[in-house]
Amino acid sequence: MASAGFDFQAMSSSCQIRLEGRDETDLSAAAERAIKEIRRIERKYSRYRSDSIVSTINQAAGSRTSVRVDKETAGLLGFASQLHQMSDGLFDVTSGIFRNIWNFKAGKVPSQEQIDAVLPLIGWSKVNWDGERISLPLSGMEIDFGGFGKEYAADRAATIIQEAGIQHGFVNLGGDLRVIGPRSTGQGWRFGIQHPRDDGQVLVSVELAAGGLATSGDYERYFEADGRRYCHILDVRTGWPVNCWASVSVVAPACLAAGALSTIAMLKQKVARDFLEDQAASALLISPDLALQYVGSEKPFPLML
Amino acid sequence: MAATKKPTKYGSIAAAALALPGVVLHAENAPESGEVALKYLHYNDSQPGLDRITVSSPSIYLLLPISPRWSLEGTAVSDAVSGATPRYHTAISGASRHMSDERHAVDVKVTRYQERASFSLGVSRSDEHDYTSNALSFAVTIASDDNNRTWNLGVGTSSDSIGSTNDANLHESRKTTEVMVGVTQAVTANDLVQGNVTVSNGSGYYSDPYKEPDVRPNKRGHVIGLLRWNHHFSELGASLRTSYRYYHDTFGISAHTISTEWVQPITPRLSVTPSLRLYSQSAATFYFDPIYDKNVGAPYPPNYFSNPPTYISPDQRLSAFGAVTGGIKFVLQADANWRADLKVEHYVQQSNWRIGGSGSVGLDNFYANFIQLGLSRRF
């Protein structure tokens, strides 16, 4: 049984594909195809590239012309629309422009006036989307797929590897994980859940033989000012960061589902547990004082280190 | 059977994610590993004062994944049957002939796995010295976009040849066709519900060449309705499987079966499953009670010769009765590949246990034991 790891950079993250199978050449060929797919998705949905579909849509904002999108993009926009509805408006692909006022590198808290000026440009319900064509009604509005692009790419990459007949391995795109299948011994893969207050330390480990794992945390991008922590996960209704949970990790049948559930749980704040229970999710919530709370089956999270 | 899987109902967000193309491999996957299983079944039945049939039945099962899209599976069974032939009515005292027979059966099924669907074609053949059966079946499963619902469709046809060691000139046949439609739905994350309807129609020789008098209609049709509900208890890691089955046929038999079993993991490797099944049926319209003609005597009913009925049978299996089966099953998953199981069941059939009516009169109780040992290895 051959085993191979493939490390690469994509989507501004360190990524790894780990595979086990009979033939090392097959593993390499499958990994290569999967990485190609990840790069394709990155190119297509990057807001940094002027030729991406996202840039095309954003450049047309306020122009009254709608953009007809391809089937894949339509699927993702439909998914975004469903997430908006299922999260009662908290998950919103138009919220990216908060970055114009929330600069986590500079670490400066914006004024309420600055926030109030941006809020009118945010809101999926303002977007004209009929399932085929999209238009952003106001100049300055933007959409981005940062909220689920990496998770989607992890799932697509895993599917391509499975289609090549490989049954053992996982795809890790900067902590957004999708398992292809258990180790060749039948055991699951063990992944660490990062300590939210001690970079590089693992607080809990998880063993998975299938499905996806994603974590949203207040430690990914944040700054502290006047003794308060300001993280990058923002409530679209107020424009202010959430502060109820240090991180939420979700195990779901696909990474895309795990990512959406963990992000929305962060946004749900005090009612995160109810939301995750309603969604039949398996989750680990870590509060800022590092208390662990589980939702659903604890089985995916049995191993404390 | 889909309803034996652990329920996999997802929340709305997970379902929306899974519905996007390419997020998960939606093909109904061919099994990833092959499996070979050996089973040994020992069956014996008895009535008060009479040990009847004993069956020793080893079988081998083989599953071969041919590619991610195709699998092939097959079973070969060899039964050695020995014992006393069934008596006419069990109430008749007297010696029964001793019989011994062997049955050999094979079935082969090939399955094609598609995006959200699978298609299976199966053939089977069973041989005894006085009975041969050939069957052909085709089945389709179709899963919904969110995988919470599966439709199951099946059609089958079989052709049987019937002979008799008592009558070298008996060469009869029977043809049967069957259609099944069903749906399996994940209702919650822990509840799986399944409903099936099966309709079957057959024509040919249905009489028992070893009984006299035994003349049955040359057509038999039946309808079966099956409802299953499986509930998984997350806290206990246990599953409750329940089902109700209704059966009605053109011989006039109506039957109800209620089954329940509790799958309890004891350790991560060992599970125990106690089960209980209740069964009740009404008699076929042409079944006659063991009341015999005063002049001619057993096995002929009164007026049999002066006014013979069109159809008639003394077969206890066509009488009205109730039955209870209790069982227990142990499954040991030794490692990822080796698995052993042991199942023991005891069956008691009693006329007065019929539910919702009186049972047939004058019949002895009937007891049966099943012991099955299995060993399987994935490769």
Side-chain angles (χ1 to χ4, degrees), chain A residues 149-199:
Chain A
K150 208 143 48 88
E151 293 90 332
Y152 174 65
D155 286 327
R156 294 278 301 198
T159 301
I160 279 172
I161 292 164
Q162 286 173 328
E163 279 170 348
I166 289 159
Q167 300 159 4
H168 310 291
F170 64 84
V171 177
N172 176 1
L173 303 188
D176 290 324
L177 290 148
R178 172 61 194 282
V179 174
I180 291 151
R183 286 168 184 270
S184 54
T185 56
Q187 283 175 308
W189 300 93
R190 193 175 288 193
F191 304 110
I193 304 284
Q194 191 183 319
H195 191 304
R197 296 293 177 262
D198 192 353
D199 200 14

Side-chain angles (χ1 to χ4, degrees), chain A residues 75 155-156 159 163 178 253 279, chain B residues 10 12-13 20-23 25:
Chain A
D155 286 327
R156 294 278 301 198
T159 301
E163 279 170 348
R178 172 61 194 282
Q279 287 290 336
Chain B
Y10 304 124
S12 55
I13 288 175
L20 286 181
V23 166
L25 193 59

Side-chain angles (χ1 to χ4, degrees), chain A residues 8-20:
Chain A
F8 57 101
Q9 289 286 321
M11 300 183 163
S12 320
S13 306
S14 296
C15 306
Q16 192 194 27
I17 294 177
R18 177 81 190 276
L19 302 175
E20 289 181 353

